[in-house]
Amino acid sequence: MEKIRIQKIIADAGYCSRRKAEELILQKRVKVNGHPAITGQKLDPVRDIITIDGEKLYYQRKKQHVYLMMNKPRGYLTSMSDDRGRRCVTELLPETNVRVYPIGRLDLNTEGLLLFTSDGKFANDMMHPSRSVSKTYRVTVRPDITDEQAVKLSEGVMIDGRVTAPAEVRVLTKEKNRVVIEIVIREGRNRQVRKMCEAVGLEVARLKRTAFGPLRLGMLKPSTCRPLTAEELKAIRSAVKKPTK
Ligand code: URA
């Protein structure tokens, strides 16, 4: 097992803060294998015996949170289980002993980037309406899109009695009877993209989320998951705006 600084071991065990642990060490109340501890000394928390005021410290490694990205396929519910027996995204998760939950949801027939985590605070931060993480969707519409429809989508349309916030809209490809557009929104209302398209008279043939803030789906295969990298986690954390008071 890797060696860890004594004050971190004491703090991770939940005994007190690192600073308080340093005080205890200076006060000679902490011993390692029977000898007075030294601030900053590195130990194996499983093998070395630490006592504080004569009592053995029981070390438990802090649980590491899990952060995953899935390429959700069509036909799966964003739900932990379904009493009607429909397929759920949880069936596609890797076997772990940590319980993870989806961050937000994608409709049954929407595909693409879906995040999962065991970290409740992180999930709340991502989903809180006051934090405006962008979501990018690739939308296949039929048969065509006019400039007027694109402008309306970007300026805001009325759905469920409320106008949507400005969105970025651009046409990616145009074929006969089929246009692929990209829409970037910052809200997360129920079936928002489908309702926005419906409101301007567009028929959605396919809807896929390709990015969540700075996180990109890339070449992740449908129905598979991968952990976020340390860089991705850092990027998404800093993309979450602090709420304005
Ligand atoms: N907008 C939708 O209409 N559906 C989704 O799943 C996500 C965004």
Side-chain angles (χ1 to χ4, degrees), residues 30-47:
V30 184
K31 291 206 168 116
V32 178
N33 304 325
H35 303 288
I38 302 162
T39 308
Q41 83 182 105
K42 287 190 164 181
L43 304 173
D44 177 334
V46 175
R47 296 206 174 150

Side-chain angles (χ1 to χ4, degrees), residues 41-60:
Q41 83 182 105
K42 287 190 164 181
L43 304 173
D44 177 334
V46 175
R47 296 206 174 150
D48 291 311
I49 294 170
I50 301 171
T51 55
I52 303 174
D53 295 333
E55 294 284 328
K56 188 173 183 303
L57 181 85
Y58 286 94
Y59 173 79
Q60 210 187 351

Side-chain angles (χ1 to χ4, degrees), residues 105-107 110 137 191-195 207:
R105 58 189 299 279
L106 291 176
D107 298 338
T110 299
Y137 294 88
R191 296 175 67 84
Q192 178 159 347
V193 176
R194 290 180 192 278
K195 286 179 182 169
L207 180 58

Side-chain angles (χ1 to χ4, degrees), residues 139-141 145 149 153 157 159 181 183 191-204 207:
V139 197
T140 308
V141 294
I145 184 170
Q149 284 170 316
L153 281 177
V157 291
I159 63 169
I181 58 174
I183 302 186
R191 296 175 67 84
Q192 178 159 347
V193 176
R194 290 180 192 278
K195 286 179 182 169
M196 284 169 70
C197 291
E198 202 175 293
V200 299
L202 290 173
E203 183 199 326
V204 173
L207 180 58

Side-chain angles (χ1 to χ4, degrees), residues 152-174:
K152 270 196 200 162
L153 281 177
S154 66
E155 287 180 344
V157 291
M158 181 69 85
I159 63 169
D160 302 327
R162 201 153 49 90
V163 177
T164 56
E168 289 157 43
V169 179
R170 65 188 183 108
V171 175
L172 298 178
T173 57
K174 258 189 191 241

